[in-house]
Amino acid sequence: HDGTPLLKVEGLSAGYGGMPVLHEISIEVNKAEMVALVGGNGAGKTTLLRALSRLLPCTGSIALAGRELRTLTPDQVFGLGLVQVPEGRQLFGRMTVQDNLLMGGYRRGDKAALSRDLDRMYALFPRLGERRRQLAGSMSGGEQQMCAMARALMAAPVLMMVDEMSLGLAPVVVDQLMEVLAQIRRDGVTVLLVEQDVQIALSGADRGYVIETGRVVLSGSAKDLVDDPAVQQAYLGM
Ligand code: ATP
């Protein structure tokens, strides 16, 4: 480990049609960390993920393992291993679970590795294994979230960015998904977890950033953030 963060975002600003949304955002994610990005509705979390994935123009700098991404296309960024699990899952609903997973690995040439990774996904998510021939759109919300996460993992991500994983899911399902994220990290994938549910995000993360109206207003270890009176009052209902 040479001390270079895996992801280093510096002074990133972005918006829609001249309307600024993000103001000079700076965040870092180190290899093998789980970092939470939290904030209320409309704070700009999804906008930041879209800028990182190069789906939205921005100013400032985005470096992945020291390499500048700002001039790259979304496909190139994906190819470097920066992979998003989008809000709302965005599955191919009329395709089977297995075909969705294979779509995640479409860029990889090594068919034997893909086949191994399919098996790995079915071990990680036994429910998906049982339903591999089922149409993705016919599954429950929790199963669809599993499918979206497995599809992203099939791309062999270096950094997986998960947007609003817990939205609309029962607490018991969210606990299962958090457990899977912990397992994924043990396997060496770095995770950026974007959540409106601050309690959930900080429960599994090492560090966190709080975003309000397009600015990072607080950052620190997950423990310090949970103990912070401002966070408790604004986000944890205390
Ligand atoms: P949520 O979790 O509800 O998606 P968020 O923190 O991800 O919240 P964003 O979706 O990034 O917030 O939205 C940030 C701001 O950008 C909001 O004021 C929103 O209205 C605006 N915005 C988002 N998408 C667009 C768009 N396509 N065109 C114009 N404005 C947008």
Side-chain angles (χ1 to χ4, degrees), residues 16 19 21-22 39-48 50 87 163-164 194 196:
Y16 299 96
M19 185 188 77
V21 170
L22 300 178
N41 202 350
K45 305 180 299 294
T46 300
T47 300
L48 177 57
R50 297 190 64 218
E87 186 173 354
D163 197 4
E164 301 290 2
V194 176
Q196 253 183 67

Side-chain angles (χ1 to χ4, degrees), residues 130-211:
E130 293 161 15
R131 296 175 181 245
R132 66 183 79 186
R133 307 273 167 235
Q134 187 168 331
L135 295 186
S138 70
M139 297 195 300
S140 74
E143 290 160 353
Q144 291 195 26
Q145 185 63 54
M146 291 174 197
C147 190
M149 287 163 66
R151 181 180 61 181
L153 288 168
M154 287 296 290
V158 171
L159 174 58
M160 187 164 87
M161 307 192 292
V162 189
D163 197 4
E164 301 290 2
M165 180 182 80
S166 74
L167 205 65
L169 302 182
V172 57
V173 177
V174 174
D175 286 347
Q176 284 170 12
L177 293 173
M178 289 301 291
E179 196 43 57
V180 170
L181 281 183
Q183 177 64 49
I184 289 166
R185 285 186 59 202
R186 289 194 287 273
D187 294 344
V189 178
T190 307
V191 177
L192 181 61
L193 188 61
V194 176
E195 275 285 340
Q196 253 183 67
D197 192 319
V198 177
Q199 177 89 58
I200 287 169
L202 293 180
S203 75
D206 304 301
R207 290 191 301 115
Y209 294 90
V210 180
I211 295 197

Side-chain angles (χ1 to χ4, degrees), residues 106-125:
Y106 82 100
R107 263 180 150 274
R108 296 168 62 195
D110 184 344
K111 297 301 165 212
L114 273 179
S115 165
R116 269 199 309 277
D117 278 357
L118 260 188
D119 291 342
R120 219 162 52 87
M121 287 310 121
Y122 295 144
L124 199 56
F125 301 99

